[in-house]
Amino acid sequence: MSQDFAIPHTTVITARQVEVLLTNAIEDASKYWIQAIESDGTGHPATELALNSKDMSVQDFDSKWYPINRHRLTRTLDLMQRNYPKHWNDLTTGNDDAETADVFLQLAAFGEITYS
């Protein structure tokens, strides 16, 4: 019989971290699959979504729109933590990069990694 202990752990991801991920994805990392971006706010879509709770949508090259809001971002972080440990570790240890940003936006839009 196993004597292992399971200890729940909560990690806080700041709105600023999410803003940086989204900015990196929008401006560079995800440009190869994003055709267009729309935002409810007047500023940069990443800032409006992460800090001001304004919704945004991304359009892929198949011309399909994917809405993204704060609820979806929370789900994305949970999904990343559970199913994509490498990217989660990179995010939580400050080693996030373009790949992490691209994965984050794909998970937010599609719920999985669709493009690589």
Side-chain angles (χ1 to χ4, degrees), residues 74-116:
T74 300
R75 192 196 77 205
T76 298
L77 290 167
D78 182 57
L79 182 63
M80 185 181 267
Q81 181 182 29
R82 285 184 291 111
N83 297 346
Y84 300 92
K86 177 207 177 297
H87 301 296
W88 179 254
N89 186 56
D90 287 344
L91 173 61
T92 59
T93 60
N95 291 322
D96 51 298
D97 57 12
E99 181 181 9
T100 313
D102 183 37
V103 165
F104 183 77
L105 188 55
Q106 286 190 55
L107 294 177
F110 314 125
E112 64 184 4
I113 298 174
T114 301
Y115 301 100
S116 55

mmCIF file of all heavy atoms in Angstrom, residues 74-116:
data_model
loop_
_atom_site.group_PDB
_atom_site.id
_atom_site.type_symbol
_atom_site.label_atom_id
_atom_site.label_comp_id
_atom_site.label_asym_id
_atom_site.label_seq_id
_atom_site.Cartn_x
_atom_site.Cartn_y
_atom_site.Cartn_z
ATOM 1 N N THR A 74 -8.800 31.606 -17.076
ATOM 2 C CA THR A 74 -8.693 30.802 -15.855
ATOM 3 C C THR A 74 -8.706 29.321 -16.209
ATOM 4 O O THR A 74 -7.898 28.536 -15.700
ATOM 5 C CB THR A 74 -9.847 31.142 -14.891
ATOM 6 O OG1 THR A 74 -9.778 32.524 -14.561
ATOM 7 C CG2 THR A 74 -9.770 30.310 -13.626
ATOM 8 N N ARG A 75 -9.598 28.940 -17.095
ATOM 9 C CA ARG A 75 -9.659 27.549 -17.561
ATOM 10 C C ARG A 75 -8.357 27.157 -18.265
ATOM 11 O O ARG A 75 -7.857 26.046 -18.108
ATOM 12 C CB ARG A 75 -10.849 27.366 -18.499
ATOM 13 C CG ARG A 75 -11.132 25.901 -18.788
ATOM 14 C CD ARG A 75 -12.013 25.707 -19.970
ATOM 15 N NE ARG A 75 -11.173 25.910 -21.145
ATOM 16 C CZ ARG A 75 -11.604 26.279 -22.325
ATOM 17 N NH1 ARG A 75 -12.849 26.528 -22.531
ATOM 18 N NH2 ARG A 75 -10.776 26.433 -23.322
ATOM 19 N N THR A 76 -7.807 28.079 -19.028
ATOM 20 C CA THR A 76 -6.551 27.824 -19.750
ATOM 21 C C THR A 76 -5.414 27.559 -18.776
ATOM 22 O O THR A 76 -4.619 26.638 -18.982
ATOM 23 C CB THR A 76 -6.210 29.025 -20.654
ATOM 24 O OG1 THR A 76 -7.257 29.167 -21.617
ATOM 25 C CG2 THR A 76 -4.887 28.839 -21.354
ATOM 26 N N LEU A 77 -5.318 28.351 -17.730
ATOM 27 C CA LEU A 77 -4.258 28.139 -16.737
ATOM 28 C C LEU A 77 -4.421 26.778 -16.061
ATOM 29 O O LEU A 77 -3.437 26.060 -15.850
ATOM 30 C CB LEU A 77 -4.267 29.266 -15.707
ATOM 31 C CG LEU A 77 -3.805 30.619 -16.238
ATOM 32 C CD1 LEU A 77 -4.143 31.727 -15.252
ATOM 33 C CD2 LEU A 77 -2.312 30.592 -16.542
ATOM 34 N N ASP A 78 -5.647 26.410 -15.735
ATOM 35 C CA ASP A 78 -5.903 25.102 -15.142
ATOM 36 C C ASP A 78 -5.522 23.981 -16.110
ATOM 37 O O ASP A 78 -4.876 23.008 -15.719
ATOM 38 C CB ASP A 78 -7.381 24.993 -14.751
ATOM 39 C CG ASP A 78 -7.698 23.666 -14.094
ATOM 40 O OD1 ASP A 78 -7.064 23.338 -13.062
ATOM 41 O OD2 ASP A 78 -8.569 22.938 -14.606
ATOM 42 N N LEU A 79 -5.898 24.128 -17.356
ATOM 43 C CA LEU A 79 -5.562 23.137 -18.383
ATOM 44 C C LEU A 79 -4.055 23.014 -18.562
ATOM 45 O O LEU A 79 -3.509 21.907 -18.654
ATOM 46 C CB LEU A 79 -6.226 23.528 -19.707
ATOM 47 C CG LEU A 79 -6.049 22.608 -20.900
ATOM 48 C CD1 LEU A 79 -6.681 21.243 -20.629
ATOM 49 C CD2 LEU A 79 -6.677 23.249 -22.139
ATOM 50 N N MET A 80 -3.379 24.141 -18.583
ATOM 51 C CA MET A 80 -1.922 24.132 -18.728
ATOM 52 C C MET A 80 -1.273 23.411 -17.543
ATOM 53 O O MET A 80 -0.365 22.607 -17.722
ATOM 54 C CB MET A 80 -1.386 25.555 -18.864
ATOM 55 C CG MET A 80 0.106 25.630 -19.141
ATOM 56 S SD MET A 80 0.692 27.338 -19.272
ATOM 57 C CE MET A 80 0.542 27.567 -21.034
ATOM 58 N N GLN A 81 -1.762 23.699 -16.340
ATOM 59 C CA GLN A 81 -1.201 23.069 -15.147
ATOM 60 C C GLN A 81 -1.404 21.558 -15.170
ATOM 61 O O GLN A 81 -0.493 20.796 -14.858
ATOM 62 C CB GLN A 81 -1.834 23.654 -13.886
ATOM 63 C CG GLN A 81 -1.264 23.061 -12.608
ATOM 64 C CD GLN A 81 -1.935 23.607 -11.372
ATOM 65 O OE1 GLN A 81 -3.110 23.984 -11.399
ATOM 66 N NE2 GLN A 81 -1.196 23.661 -10.292
ATOM 67 N N ARG A 82 -2.588 21.106 -15.551
ATOM 68 C CA ARG A 82 -2.906 19.677 -15.528
ATOM 69 C C ARG A 82 -2.287 18.887 -16.681
ATOM 70 O O ARG A 82 -1.813 17.771 -16.482
ATOM 71 C CB ARG A 82 -4.423 19.464 -15.546
ATOM 72 C CG ARG A 82 -5.107 19.758 -14.236
ATOM 73 C CD ARG A 82 -6.597 19.437 -14.246
ATOM 74 N NE ARG A 82 -7.340 20.370 -15.108
ATOM 75 C CZ ARG A 82 -7.906 20.036 -16.259
ATOM 76 N NH1 ARG A 82 -7.841 18.807 -16.711
ATOM 77 N NH2 ARG A 82 -8.565 20.940 -16.975
ATOM 78 N N ASN A 83 -2.306 19.455 -17.896
ATOM 79 C CA ASN A 83 -1.956 18.667 -19.083
ATOM 80 C C ASN A 83 -0.666 19.055 -19.791
ATOM 81 O O ASN A 83 -0.229 18.320 -20.674
ATOM 82 C CB ASN A 83 -3.099 18.743 -20.104
ATOM 83 C CG ASN A 83 -4.379 18.148 -19.579
ATOM 84 O OD1 ASN A 83 -4.387 17.441 -18.574
ATOM 85 N ND2 ASN A 83 -5.477 18.427 -20.235
ATOM 86 N N TYR A 84 -0.113 20.194 -19.443
ATOM 87 C CA TYR A 84 1.097 20.663 -20.131
ATOM 88 C C TYR A 84 2.133 21.091 -19.095
ATOM 89 O O TYR A 84 2.453 22.272 -18.970
ATOM 90 C CB TYR A 84 0.745 21.814 -21.096
ATOM 91 C CG TYR A 84 -0.249 21.379 -22.149
ATOM 92 C CD1 TYR A 84 -1.621 21.531 -21.940
ATOM 93 C CD2 TYR A 84 0.173 20.789 -23.328
ATOM 94 C CE1 TYR A 84 -2.543 21.106 -22.888
ATOM 95 C CE2 TYR A 84 -0.738 20.368 -24.282
ATOM 96 C CZ TYR A 84 -2.090 20.528 -24.057
ATOM 97 O OH TYR A 84 -2.993 20.105 -25.003
ATOM 98 N N PRO A 85 2.667 20.139 -18.323
ATOM 99 C CA PRO A 85 3.545 20.474 -17.199
ATOM 100 C C PRO A 85 4.814 21.222 -17.592
ATOM 101 O O PRO A 85 5.291 22.064 -16.833
ATOM 102 C CB PRO A 85 3.861 19.119 -16.570
ATOM 103 C CG PRO A 85 3.538 18.103 -17.602
ATOM 104 C CD PRO A 85 2.462 18.692 -18.462
ATOM 105 N N LYS A 86 5.369 20.943 -18.762
ATOM 106 C CA LYS A 86 6.584 21.656 -19.180
ATOM 107 C C LYS A 86 6.299 23.148 -19.311
ATOM 108 O O LYS A 86 7.037 23.992 -18.792
ATOM 109 C CB LYS A 86 7.115 21.111 -20.503
ATOM 110 C CG LYS A 86 8.340 21.872 -21.014
ATOM 111 C CD LYS A 86 8.457 21.802 -22.527
ATOM 112 C CE LYS A 86 9.605 22.593 -23.067
ATOM 113 N NZ LYS A 86 9.533 24.026 -22.832
ATOM 114 N N HIS A 87 5.211 23.467 -19.987
ATOM 115 C CA HIS A 87 4.867 24.878 -20.195
ATOM 116 C C HIS A 87 4.428 25.534 -18.885
ATOM 117 O O HIS A 87 4.734 26.700 -18.639
ATOM 118 C CB HIS A 87 3.786 25.008 -21.266
ATOM 119 C CG HIS A 87 4.226 24.437 -22.575
ATOM 120 N ND1 HIS A 87 5.277 24.947 -23.306
ATOM 121 C CD2 HIS A 87 3.782 23.375 -23.279
ATOM 122 C CE1 HIS A 87 5.444 24.241 -24.408
ATOM 123 N NE2 HIS A 87 4.557 23.272 -24.402
ATOM 124 N N TRP A 88 3.721 24.790 -18.053
ATOM 125 C CA TRP A 88 3.329 25.303 -16.741
ATOM 126 C C TRP A 88 4.566 25.604 -15.905
ATOM 127 O O TRP A 88 4.655 26.667 -15.278
ATOM 128 C CB TRP A 88 2.429 24.309 -16.023
ATOM 129 C CG TRP A 88 2.025 24.772 -14.658
ATOM 130 C CD1 TRP A 88 2.489 24.315 -13.461
ATOM 131 C CD2 TRP A 88 1.083 25.802 -14.347
ATOM 132 N NE1 TRP A 88 1.891 24.995 -12.429
ATOM 133 C CE2 TRP A 88 1.029 25.912 -12.952
ATOM 134 C CE3 TRP A 88 0.291 26.641 -15.131
ATOM 135 C CZ2 TRP A 88 0.205 26.829 -12.309
ATOM 136 C CZ3 TRP A 88 -0.535 27.561 -14.476
ATOM 137 C CH2 TRP A 88 -0.566 27.639 -13.086
ATOM 138 N N ASN A 89 5.503 24.695 -15.909
ATOM 139 C CA ASN A 89 6.734 24.909 -15.160
ATOM 140 C C ASN A 89 7.490 26.127 -15.693
ATOM 141 O O ASN A 89 8.006 26.935 -14.913
ATOM 142 C CB ASN A 89 7.621 23.657 -15.215
ATOM 143 C CG ASN A 89 8.837 23.786 -14.333
ATOM 144 O OD1 ASN A 89 8.719 24.027 -13.130
ATOM 145 N ND2 ASN A 89 10.012 23.644 -14.932
ATOM 146 N N ASP A 90 7.562 26.261 -17.015
ATOM 147 C CA ASP A 90 8.229 27.424 -17.596
ATOM 148 C C ASP A 90 7.548 28.717 -17.144
ATOM 149 O O ASP A 90 8.211 29.697 -16.796
ATOM 150 C CB ASP A 90 8.230 27.350 -19.127
ATOM 151 C CG ASP A 90 9.195 26.299 -19.654
ATOM 152 O OD1 ASP A 90 10.072 25.830 -18.894
ATOM 153 O OD2 ASP A 90 9.064 25.935 -20.839
ATOM 154 N N LEU A 91 6.217 28.730 -17.128
ATOM 155 C CA LEU A 91 5.477 29.914 -16.698
ATOM 156 C C LEU A 91 5.729 30.233 -15.234
ATOM 157 O O LEU A 91 6.018 31.369 -14.874
ATOM 158 C CB LEU A 91 3.977 29.711 -16.943
ATOM 159 C CG LEU A 91 3.045 30.796 -16.404
ATOM 160 C CD1 LEU A 91 3.353 32.147 -17.033
ATOM 161 C CD2 LEU A 91 1.595 30.398 -16.637
ATOM 162 N N THR A 92 5.639 29.237 -14.384
ATOM 163 C CA THR A 92 5.722 29.475 -12.940
ATOM 164 C C THR A 92 7.140 29.692 -12.432
ATOM 165 O O THR A 92 7.314 30.184 -11.327
ATOM 166 C CB THR A 92 5.059 28.327 -12.154
ATOM 167 O OG1 THR A 92 5.705 27.100 -12.473
ATOM 168 C CG2 THR A 92 3.577 28.247 -12.477
ATOM 169 N N THR A 93 8.134 29.339 -13.236
ATOM 170 C CA THR A 93 9.520 29.554 -12.815
ATOM 171 C C THR A 93 10.172 30.737 -13.525
ATOM 172 O O THR A 93 11.360 30.975 -13.361
ATOM 173 C CB THR A 93 10.384 28.289 -13.045
ATOM 174 O OG1 THR A 93 10.369 27.967 -14.443
ATOM 175 C CG2 THR A 93 9.884 27.126 -12.210
ATOM 176 N N GLY A 94 9.394 31.463 -14.315
ATOM 177 C CA GLY A 94 9.935 32.626 -15.008
ATOM 178 C C GLY A 94 10.733 32.292 -16.246
ATOM 179 O O GLY A 94 11.465 33.137 -16.760
ATOM 180 N N ASN A 95 10.603 31.065 -16.738
ATOM 181 C CA ASN A 95 11.330 30.642 -17.944
ATOM 182 C C ASN A 95 10.426 30.631 -19.174
ATOM 183 O O ASN A 95 10.743 29.986 -20.164
ATOM 184 C CB ASN A 95 11.931 29.247 -17.739
ATOM 185 C CG ASN A 95 13.053 29.265 -16.732
ATOM 186 O OD1 ASN A 95 13.845 30.201 -16.690
ATOM 187 N ND2 ASN A 95 13.104 28.254 -15.895
ATOM 188 N N ASP A 96 9.292 31.338 -19.102
ATOM 189 C CA ASP A 96 8.384 31.361 -20.241
ATOM 190 C C ASP A 96 9.018 32.124 -21.403
ATOM 191 O O ASP A 96 9.803 33.035 -21.217
ATOM 192 C CB ASP A 96 7.028 31.952 -19.857
ATOM 193 C CG ASP A 96 7.140 33.283 -19.146
ATOM 194 O OD1 ASP A 96 7.732 33.319 -18.059
ATOM 195 O OD2 ASP A 96 6.638 34.283 -19.690
ATOM 196 N N ASP A 97 8.666 31.678 -22.602
ATOM 197 C CA ASP A 97 9.221 32.246 -23.820
ATOM 198 C C ASP A 97 8.149 32.258 -24.894
ATOM 199 O O ASP A 97 6.959 32.106 -24.590
ATOM 200 C CB ASP A 97 10.460 31.456 -24.268
ATOM 201 C CG ASP A 97 10.181 29.968 -24.484
ATOM 202 O OD1 ASP A 97 8.997 29.558 -24.511
ATOM 203 O OD2 ASP A 97 11.144 29.201 -24.637
ATOM 204 N N ALA A 98 8.542 32.433 -26.138
ATOM 205 C CA ALA A 98 7.578 32.489 -27.243
ATOM 206 C C ALA A 98 6.756 31.207 -27.328
ATOM 207 O O ALA A 98 5.550 31.252 -27.588
ATOM 208 C CB ALA A 98 8.297 32.760 -28.555
ATOM 209 N N GLU A 99 7.387 30.070 -27.113
ATOM 210 C CA GLU A 99 6.656 28.799 -27.170
ATOM 211 C C GLU A 99 5.583 28.750 -26.084
ATOM 212 O O GLU A 99 4.446 28.335 -26.340
ATOM 213 C CB GLU A 99 7.612 27.618 -27.024
ATOM 214 C CG GLU A 99 6.917 26.281 -27.091
ATOM 215 C CD GLU A 99 7.861 25.085 -26.915
ATOM 216 O OE1 GLU A 99 9.040 25.280 -26.565
ATOM 217 O OE2 GLU A 99 7.387 23.960 -27.121
ATOM 218 N N THR A 100 5.925 29.169 -24.878
ATOM 219 C CA THR A 100 4.956 29.190 -23.781
ATOM 220 C C THR A 100 3.787 30.106 -24.123
ATOM 221 O O THR A 100 2.624 29.754 -23.905
ATOM 222 C CB THR A 100 5.620 29.679 -22.477
ATOM 223 O OG1 THR A 100 6.858 29.001 -22.275
ATOM 224 C CG2 THR A 100 4.722 29.464 -21.272
ATOM 225 N N ALA A 101 4.090 31.279 -24.673
ATOM 226 C CA ALA A 101 3.051 32.240 -25.042
ATOM 227 C C ALA A 101 2.137 31.673 -26.126
ATOM 228 O O ALA A 101 0.911 31.805 -26.053
ATOM 229 C CB ALA A 101 3.689 33.542 -25.505
ATOM 230 N N ASP A 102 2.720 31.038 -27.127
ATOM 231 C CA ASP A 102 1.933 30.449 -28.208
ATOM 232 C C ASP A 102 1.032 29.337 -27.679
ATOM 233 O O ASP A 102 -0.160 29.286 -27.996
ATOM 234 C CB ASP A 102 2.857 29.921 -29.305
ATOM 235 C CG ASP A 102 2.083 29.363 -30.498
ATOM 236 O OD1 ASP A 102 1.034 29.933 -30.861
ATOM 237 O OD2 ASP A 102 2.547 28.355 -31.063
ATOM 238 N N VAL A 103 1.575 28.466 -26.859
ATOM 239 C CA VAL A 103 0.785 27.386 -26.262
ATOM 240 C C VAL A 103 -0.359 27.979 -25.438
ATOM 241 O O VAL A 103 -1.502 27.530 -25.531
ATOM 242 C CB VAL A 103 1.666 26.453 -25.407
ATOM 243 C CG1 VAL A 103 0.824 25.565 -24.493
ATOM 244 C CG2 VAL A 103 2.564 25.607 -26.307
ATOM 245 N N PHE A 104 -0.077 28.995 -24.646
ATOM 246 C CA PHE A 104 -1.097 29.620 -23.816
ATOM 247 C C PHE A 104 -2.250 30.145 -24.674
ATOM 248 O O PHE A 104 -3.426 29.884 -24.379
ATOM 249 C CB PHE A 104 -0.488 30.752 -22.986
ATOM 250 C CG PHE A 104 -1.462 31.401 -22.059
ATOM 251 C CD1 PHE A 104 -1.831 30.792 -20.872
ATOM 252 C CD2 PHE A 104 -2.021 32.627 -22.364
ATOM 253 C CE1 PHE A 104 -2.748 31.377 -20.013
ATOM 254 C CE2 PHE A 104 -2.939 33.233 -21.512
ATOM 255 C CZ PHE A 104 -3.291 32.605 -20.334
ATOM 256 N N LEU A 105 -1.942 30.860 -25.752
ATOM 257 C CA LEU A 105 -3.005 31.414 -26.589
ATOM 258 C C LEU A 105 -3.759 30.315 -27.326
ATOM 259 O O LEU A 105 -4.981 30.386 -27.467
ATOM 260 C CB LEU A 105 -2.445 32.442 -27.573
ATOM 261 C CG LEU A 105 -3.501 33.224 -28.357
ATOM 262 C CD1 LEU A 105 -4.497 33.925 -27.423
ATOM 263 C CD2 LEU A 105 -2.835 34.228 -29.279
ATOM 264 N N GLN A 106 -3.067 29.279 -27.765
ATOM 265 C CA GLN A 106 -3.771 28.159 -28.415
ATOM 266 C C GLN A 106 -4.710 27.462 -27.436
ATOM 267 O O GLN A 106 -5.848 27.117 -27.798
ATOM 268 C CB GLN A 106 -2.770 27.150 -28.986
ATOM 269 C CG GLN A 106 -2.076 27.628 -30.232
ATOM 270 C CD GLN A 106 -1.287 26.533 -30.885
ATOM 271 O OE1 GLN A 106 -1.838 25.471 -31.191
ATOM 272 N NE2 GLN A 106 0.000 26.761 -31.118
ATOM 273 N N LEU A 107 -4.265 27.255 -26.214
ATOM 274 C CA LEU A 107 -5.132 26.630 -25.214
ATOM 275 C C LEU A 107 -6.335 27.519 -24.911
ATOM 276 O O LEU A 107 -7.453 27.020 -24.738
ATOM 277 C CB LEU A 107 -4.357 26.329 -23.932
ATOM 278 C CG LEU A 107 -3.253 25.273 -24.038
ATOM 279 C CD1 LEU A 107 -2.523 25.138 -22.700
ATOM 280 C CD2 LEU A 107 -3.793 23.938 -24.499
ATOM 281 N N ALA A 108 -6.117 28.827 -24.881
ATOM 282 C CA ALA A 108 -7.226 29.751 -24.636
ATOM 283 C C ALA A 108 -8.227 29.733 -25.788
ATOM 284 O O ALA A 108 -9.436 29.766 -25.569
ATOM 285 C CB ALA A 108 -6.693 31.166 -24.417
ATOM 286 N N ALA A 109 -7.716 29.656 -27.001
ATOM 287 C CA ALA A 109 -8.599 29.693 -28.171
ATOM 288 C C ALA A 109 -9.240 28.336 -28.465
ATOM 289 O O ALA A 109 -10.442 28.259 -28.691
ATOM 290 C CB ALA A 109 -7.808 30.163 -29.400
ATOM 291 N N PHE A 110 -8.431 27.268 -28.460
ATOM 292 C CA PHE A 110 -8.892 25.961 -28.932
ATOM 293 C C PHE A 110 -9.094 24.913 -27.843
ATOM 294 O O PHE A 110 -9.702 23.884 -28.084
ATOM 295 C CB PHE A 110 -7.892 25.375 -29.938
ATOM 296 C CG PHE A 110 -7.419 26.330 -30.992
ATOM 297 C CD1 PHE A 110 -6.069 26.553 -31.171
ATOM 298 C CD2 PHE A 110 -8.311 26.996 -31.811
ATOM 299 C CE1 PHE A 110 -5.615 27.422 -32.158
ATOM 300 C CE2 PHE A 110 -7.874 27.864 -32.793
ATOM 301 C CZ PHE A 110 -6.516 28.084 -32.959
ATOM 302 N N GLY A 111 -8.499 25.144 -26.667
ATOM 303 C CA GLY A 111 -8.564 24.139 -25.606
ATOM 304 C C GLY A 111 -7.551 23.024 -25.779
ATOM 305 O O GLY A 111 -7.523 22.065 -25.025
ATOM 306 N N GLU A 112 -6.678 23.166 -26.769
ATOM 307 C CA GLU A 112 -5.613 22.188 -27.034
ATOM 308 C C GLU A 112 -4.567 22.845 -27.924
ATOM 309 O O GLU A 112 -4.802 23.925 -28.474
ATOM 310 C CB GLU A 112 -6.180 20.954 -27.743
ATOM 311 C CG GLU A 112 -6.751 21.260 -29.118
ATOM 312 C CD GLU A 112 -7.390 20.055 -29.787
ATOM 313 O OE1 GLU A 112 -7.471 18.992 -29.173
ATOM 314 O OE2 GLU A 112 -7.817 20.209 -30.954
ATOM 315 N N ILE A 113 -3.435 22.193 -28.069
ATOM 316 C CA ILE A 113 -2.422 22.677 -28.997
ATOM 317 C C ILE A 113 -2.796 22.153 -30.378
ATOM 318 O O ILE A 113 -2.830 20.949 -30.617
ATOM 319 C CB ILE A 113 -1.003 22.201 -28.595
ATOM 320 C CG1 ILE A 113 -0.638 22.768 -27.230
ATOM 321 C CG2 ILE A 113 0.017 22.624 -29.653
ATOM 322 C CD1 ILE A 113 0.675 22.255 -26.674
ATOM 323 N N THR A 114 -3.105 23.070 -31.270
ATOM 324 C CA THR A 114 -3.548 22.731 -32.619
ATOM 325 C C THR A 114 -2.426 22.915 -33.624
ATOM 326 O O THR A 114 -2.274 22.134 -34.555
ATOM 327 C CB THR A 114 -4.751 23.602 -33.013
ATOM 328 O OG1 THR A 114 -5.792 23.373 -32.054
ATOM 329 C CG2 THR A 114 -5.267 23.268 -34.388
ATOM 330 N N TYR A 115 -1.660 23.967 -33.452
ATOM 331 C CA TYR A 115 -0.554 24.280 -34.356
ATOM 332 C C TYR A 115 0.756 24.099 -33.614
ATOM 333 O O TYR A 115 0.859 24.341 -32.435
ATOM 334 C CB TYR A 115 -0.644 25.734 -34.844
ATOM 335 C CG TYR A 115 -1.920 26.053 -35.576
ATOM 336 C CD1 TYR A 115 -2.968 26.711 -34.939
ATOM 337 C CD2 TYR A 115 -2.075 25.693 -36.914
ATOM 338 C CE1 TYR A 115 -4.142 27.016 -35.616
ATOM 339 C CE2 TYR A 115 -3.253 25.992 -37.587
ATOM 340 C CZ TYR A 115 -4.271 26.653 -36.943
ATOM 341 O OH TYR A 115 -5.420 26.951 -37.602
ATOM 342 N N SER A 116 1.781 23.663 -34.354
ATOM 343 C CA SER A 116 3.096 23.548 -33.699
ATOM 344 C C SER A 116 4.187 24.007 -34.614
ATOM 345 O O SER A 116 3.988 24.359 -35.734
ATOM 346 C CB SER A 116 3.355 22.119 -33.269
ATOM 347 O OG SER A 116 3.230 21.218 -34.343
#
